[in-house]
Amino acid sequence: MMQDQAYQVFAAQQANRGINLEDVKSKLKAFRVETPSWGYADQGTRFKTFKKAGVPRDPFEKLEDAAQVHRFTGICPSVALHIPWDKVEDYVALKTHAAALGLSIGAVNPNLFQEDEYMLGSVTNSNPSIRKKATDHLLECVEIAKTLGSNVLSLWFADGTNYPGQANIRRRVQWMHECLREMYAAMTPEMRMLIEYKFYEPAFYHTDLADWGMAFNMAGKLGPQAEVLVDTGHHAMGTNIEHIVAYLLGEKRLGGFHFNSRKYGDDDLIVGSINPYELFLIFYQILDAARDSDAGVRRTAENIAYMIDQSHNIEQKIPAMIRSVMNVQTQYAKALLVNHEEVKAAQDKQDVLAAENAVRSAFELNVTPLLSAVREEMGLSPDPMTAYLQSGYGEKILARGVGGASW
Ligand code: PSV
Ligand code: MN
């Protein structure tokens, strides 16, 4: 079937289901996904980093690769940075370079896990001079964000202990709060602090911010500009992530996502490659909250920072990022096709099977004709992956050689 014909059939089906397709298309055009600078670099596990030819050698080249993802998907105009992985002499020059590529700088991620002093903790270290060093770095990142025009600071702490009795757990939380309070006070009113949690790694006995509840509590103690960041790879097996998402939306504290997938114990697989239904259900909860009668809940749902957090160890990095973005976009498109009135009617009747069917049936739709139409209306190829692979960019960057940035 011709693409146009496939779209006409799809549009007729959706009209029958009571879906306003023009509204769905405009939401798809407005949707934005941020990619991480470190996703373009050479990365590995603690066992091995495989060095690839063509990997960017500095933050400027990372932005050039990110610009390719935006060029072919049309929905990735911002790039998250990690400091000091992306430390440069001149941040204005970096910002100017980004703008020339049609990009802006997104979240600034301080890094408190790669210096020897942080072995026993950064903001939770019992040594006050190490806590001061960590706080100074957080404050430095606020200043960098100001220079770059970024309003999002994403915090993840590797802090934790490996043995019972190693440290005073309650005291560590207080120290963290003291450090973050200083950082919070330095932020402009437009800035948001997104607090990420992870239930293990690199610490194996306890992690200071191990789950959403601890991050939520810390955000609450800091103030309204602090919110929770849900990294989809940071949960125990079987955790109902969409439940956490719904809860945080209800509390108006969901700030953003780090999308990725995991099967066992790491978080670097391409988002949507393992459990696309989970991703769909996350978007279903968000879109449901966007219809809430509480304006605060609606605003929270609309302000979510959607970011990818992946390190591509064995796969080609730019195509891996394009695949990730397309997977996110596909599940978002499907969630936009949920008929919420139908779900609500079934809920009101306490008809469990009808309610479940109203949600799942949207997931089962083929949205390829819809996404092709949207991309064409945005002036893009309907097939971003093939368009990128045929562009010659992947071959051109081979001239960079082997030995690019390792973060
Ligand atoms: C930690 O696993 C994490 O998810 C944090 O967001 C870090 O900033 C990022 O990964 C580093 O790769
Ligand atoms: Mn993350």
Side-chain angles (χ1 to χ4, degrees), residues 123-136:
V123 290
T124 62
N125 201 301
S126 58
N127 181 335
S129 62
I130 295 177
R131 293 204 301 281
K132 161 112 180 35
K133 176 184 158 88
T135 308
D136 287 346

Side-chain angles (χ1 to χ4, degrees), residues 106-268:
V108 172
N109 292 248
N111 183 320
L112 294 171
F113 48 87
Q114 278 187 316
E115 308 231 3
D116 286 338
E117 288 101 316
Y118 298 145
M119 184 176 78
L120 299 179
S122 62
V123 290
T124 62
N125 201 301
S126 58
N127 181 335
S129 62
I130 295 177
R131 293 204 301 281
K132 161 112 180 35
K133 176 184 158 88
T135 308
D136 287 346
H137 177 58
L138 294 173
L139 296 173
E140 177 197 6
C141 286
V142 174
E143 291 311 310
I144 292 172
K146 282 182 193 165
T147 308
L148 291 170
S150 162
N151 284 333
V152 174
L153 290 139
S154 293
L155 304 185
W156 173 70
F157 301 97
D159 294 47
T161 63
N162 275 7
Y163 291 97
Q166 181 185 320
N168 183 324
I169 292 175
R170 290 191 316 284
R171 198 74 192 95
R172 286 170 69 96
V173 177
Q174 289 163 358
W175 285 325
M176 180 185 285
H177 180 223
E178 281 165 22
C179 297
L180 294 193
R181 222 170 34 201
E182 272 197 59
M183 181 187 186
Y184 190 93
M187 295 191 328
T188 65
E190 294 75 35
M191 286 182 167
R192 293 195 285 161
M193 181 194 288
L194 306 188
I195 305 176
E196 187 173 350
Y197 57 91
K198 186 176 191 177
F199 78 120
Y200 83 109
E201 195 194 46
F204 291 112
Y205 172 63
H206 109 280
T207 301
D208 290 286
L209 290 183
D211 64 23
W212 69 269
M214 297 179 200
F216 174 73
N217 193 41
M218 186 59 77
K221 287 203 276 196
L222 289 165
Q225 287 171 248
E227 296 174 320
V228 178
L229 190 158
V230 176
D231 184 314
T232 48
H234 288 189
H235 305 85
M237 294 298 147
T239 300
N240 183 339
I241 300 177
E242 59 271 22
H243 176 197
I244 296 170
V245 167
Y247 189 94
L248 290 172
L249 281 162
E251 294 295 323
K252 308 176 188 89
R253 287 282 176 175
L254 180 62
F257 283 93
H258 272 178
F259 287 132
N260 51 58
S261 287
R262 64 196 278 272
K263 187 65 176 167
Y264 297 107
D266 215 329
D267 58 3
D268 289 332

Side-chain angles (χ1 to χ4, degrees), residues 42 50-57 397-405:
D42 267 331
F50 298 102
K51 291 282 180 190
K52 295 268 167 49
V55 166
R57 292 161 291 189
I397 55 176
L398 292 178
R400 292 172 181 164
V402 179

